[in-house]
Amino acid sequence: MNQNTNRYLAEEKIGKLLLKFSIPCIMSLLVSALYNIVDQIFIGRGIGYLGNGATNVVFPITVISLAVALMIGDGCAAFLSLCQGKKDLKSANKSVGNALTLLGVIGIVMTALFAIFKSQILLAFGATENNFAYASEYFNFIIMGIPFFVVGNGLNSIIRADGSPKFAMITTLLGCIINVILDPVAIFALGWGMRGAALATITGQIVTAICGLVYLTKAKSVKLGLRSFMPSLDIIGKFLPLGISSFLTQISIVVIMGVMNNILVKYGAMSKYGADIPLTVVGIVMKVFQIVVSICIGIAAGSQPVIGYNYGAGEYKRVRELFLTIVKAEAIVGLVALILFEAFPLQITAIFGSEDGLYNEFAVLSFRLFLSMIVLTCIQKSVSVFLQALGKPVMSMGLSLLREFVLSVPLAIVLPMFFGVEGALYSAPIADIGSMIAVIVMSAIMLKELKEKEESSLQFVKAEEAA
């Protein structure tokens, strides 16, 4: 970033900065989440709820890929912002080159692994006898786009940290628009069904990845040479831990979906709903939930360049103000989402295809129970990302692990033993309440530390002035 940009990050009003940096980030993450949701909407209307159930079974591999992309991309972005605040341009250049190398190699390796273990993956994520064929067809084609998906999403984080959030938003949006246009053509006009939906998706992903690669040739603050791409364990070891929180945020969705899908199939088969209705409905709920999570993470992650620069530059009071403003914004997002989910669950479900009877009954129950504490979820996600932006991966990772692994997974397994398939729906709100205690404690520790740094910095300035 140039001198004018640095001054802008340090002096502009916080509200304006959040709007400038967070909105493009929110849009980018939303569009990424919408890729599979768009497929599900058209599949639900063209094939039916068994097709939707199949996309829910395959969806975790996309989230796994996104988790890896964000671990590398967000970690590099956070490190890049800290380097900019410290004026360490050499490390900044090296980190971006190494991040791109990792994204490309890991994307290819993941595609190969997915192809080898296809059947095991589908069964692990709850494929049923009724939807296995649909899931297998969708899976075969969707994995072809994984390397482009990983590169595109990883580079988007880096592009935002380079000071071009609008470019990141536009390229991701372009890919989604291509997907939206091609989906109905492939599914309805050409009659390609699940295969058509997957091909439409990966076409958009390829376009986004190419745009990101082109951007790097004219980046604002990064100048890449051949040496930048040579792996450096020292540099990778510095930026990769900063992305662990983003990784866990996404991978937790995979773990929860894997556990939930199997629990829903098992206990759903014992209930009046059967196995396929709970599997399909909760898959829809989780994808709608990811839209809200994308907004929450977008607010905090989009602000990373501002947070990282001001923290690196020693503007601790401004960092505290950023934190409080972001938390307020997250709470508002959560409140709006809660009202929508409690008041209009049936209308939201209908977007993914019209069903009736037991399907609608379970859909209403799922939205109102599973997402009843979403306000707390929003705050927890933002605090975790904020800690990551400050270069505190251990605290950030701890918050993510607590909610997603320590609490959610055991609750999803244990509660249905006593309350049947409905018991699985209580796991999320109980986990939200439990993790909120840790959020309050860690936030208090962080704010206290920032306050102490601010006071220490002021004393140093006064001492220099006196000398």
Side-chain angles (χ1 to χ4, degrees):
M1 294 183 186
N2 57 36
Q3 192 63 34
N4 289 333
T5 302
N6 291 342
R7 191 180 303 113
Y8 178 71
L9 292 176
E11 298 176 2
E12 182 59 84
K13 291 182 178 179
I14 287 175
K16 288 185 178 180
L17 283 173
L18 291 185
L19 288 174
K20 177 180 174 61
F21 284 86
S22 292
I23 289 179
C25 183
I26 291 169
M27 293 301 297
S28 295
L29 292 174
L30 275 178
V31 171
S32 295
L34 286 172
Y35 266 110
N36 290 88
I37 292 175
V38 168
D39 280 356
Q40 191 156 12
I41 291 172
F42 285 112
I43 288 170
R45 296 181 179 277
I47 297 173
Y49 78 88
L50 287 178
N52 265 341
T55 64
N56 294 337
V57 171
V58 178
F59 183 58
I61 71 162
T62 301
V63 184
I64 291 171
S65 303
L66 181 61
V68 173
L70 293 182
M71 177 175 65
I72 298 170
D74 283 359
C76 180
F79 183 72
L80 178 60
S81 297
L82 291 170
C83 287
Q84 289 166 342
K86 297 176 182 178
K87 308 295 190 296
D88 184 3
L89 300 182
K90 182 179 179 181
S91 295
N93 293 339
K94 190 69 175 177
S95 68
V96 173
N98 273 230
L100 182 55
T101 299
L102 275 180
L103 290 167
V105 172
I106 291 179
I108 294 170
V109 171
M110 290 178 70
T111 297
L113 291 175
F114 288 151
I116 293 170
F117 299 104
K118 180 184 76 171
S119 296
Q120 295 92 323
I121 291 171
L122 294 179
L123 292 174
F125 288 115
T128 67
E129 183 180 348
N130 293 328
N131 66 31
F132 189 89
Y134 290 125
S136 181
E137 181 181 4
Y138 189 70
F139 185 98
N140 287 339
F141 288 91
I142 207 70
I143 62 173
M144 295 179 185
I146 294 299
F148 302 99
F149 181 71
V150 170
V151 170
N153 280 281
L155 287 183
N156 259 335
S157 299
I158 296 169
I159 291 169
R160 288 194 297 270
D162 188 54
S164 300
K166 288 184 180 178
F167 184 90
M169 176 186 69
I170 291 170
T171 56
T172 310
L173 186 60
L174 178 62
C176 187
I177 291 172
I178 291 172
N179 183 31
V180 171
I181 293 172
L182 293 182
D183 253 334
V185 173
I187 295 173
F188 299 110
L190 299 177
W192 289 352
M194 303 294 290
R195 173 184 54 171
L199 289 173
T201 296
I202 65 176
T203 301
Q205 292 168 350
I206 291 171
V207 171
T208 298
I210 291 174
C211 290
L213 292 171
V214 171
Y215 176 87
L216 288 184
T217 64
K218 54 183 180 61
K220 293 180 179 179
S221 63
V222 179
K223 303 298 179 185
L224 301 178
L226 289 177
R227 292 185 179 180
S228 302
F229 300 100
M230 296 297 293
S232 167
L233 294 180
D234 178 55
I235 291 293
I236 292 173
K238 288 179 180 178
F239 75 72
L240 210 55
L242 299 180
I244 291 294
S245 178
S246 294
F247 174 81
L248 291 175
T249 296
Q250 295 298 323
I251 212 69
S252 64
I253 298 175
V254 177
V255 175
I256 292 171
M257 286 192 75
V259 172
M260 286 289 287
N261 284 357
N262 284 283
I263 291 294
L264 292 167
V265 168
K266 177 182 178 180
Y267 290 95
M270 302 177 187
S271 72
K272 62 181 179 180
Y273 302 109
D276 288 297
I277 286 177
L279 176 67
T280 301
V281 167
V282 173
I284 290 173
V285 172
M286 290 293 286
K287 287 185 179 179
V288 174
F289 170 69
Q290 193 185 26
I291 291 177
V292 180
V293 170
S294 295
I295 296 173
C296 293
I297 294 177
I299 292 173
S303 305
Q304 276 190 344
V306 186
I307 299 166
Y309 178 83
N310 280 279
Y311 188 74
E315 298 288 342
Y316 304 115
K317 180 180 180 181
R318 192 166 172 80
V319 174
R320 286 193 296 118
E321 292 173 353
L322 278 164
F323 174 76
L324 296 174
T325 304
I326 289 172
V327 169
K328 289 176 185 177
E330 302 286 14
I332 292 172
V333 170
L335 184 59
V336 171
L338 178 64
I339 293 171
L340 290 174
F341 297 152
E342 295 295 325
F344 307 105
L346 205 54
Q347 291 83 347
I348 296 172
T349 304
I351 296 173
F352 298 88
S354 299
E355 303 293 338
D356 53 24
L358 292 174
Y359 183 92
N360 286 344
E361 179 183 326
F362 195 79
V364 171
L365 192 65
S366 297
F367 271 103
R368 288 180 174 169
L369 289 181
F370 195 77
L371 301 179
S372 59
M373 291 292 165
I374 197 165
V375 176
L376 302 185
T377 308
C378 293
I379 295 173
Q380 186 267 329
K381 298 290 184 186
S382 67
V383 172
S384 180
V385 175
F386 196 92
L387 289 168
Q388 173 184 287
L390 293 183
K392 299 180 181 297
V394 175
M395 293 178 71
S396 177
M397 182 172 58
L399 279 184
S400 296
L401 280 173
L402 177 64
R403 182 192 183 276
E404 315 302 354
F405 293 102
V406 178
L407 295 176
S408 291
V409 173
L411 286 168
I413 295 172
V414 173
L415 291 176
M417 296 178 183
F418 300 96
F419 304 104
V421 69
E422 291 91 344
L425 304 178
Y426 287 98
S427 61
I430 295 175
D432 285 328
I433 294 171
S435 64
M436 193 61 194
I437 297 172
V439 169
I440 293 171
V441 172
M442 288 193 182
S443 296
I445 292 172
M446 178 190 64
L447 289 172
K448 181 182 179 181
E449 180 185 322
L450 289 172
K451 182 67 174 177
E452 289 173 351
K453 284 180 176 291
E454 179 189 346
E455 291 173 351
S456 176
S457 179
L458 287 173
Q459 289 175 0
F460 178 78
V461 171
K462 289 180 179 178
E464 277 198 331
E465 290 176 349

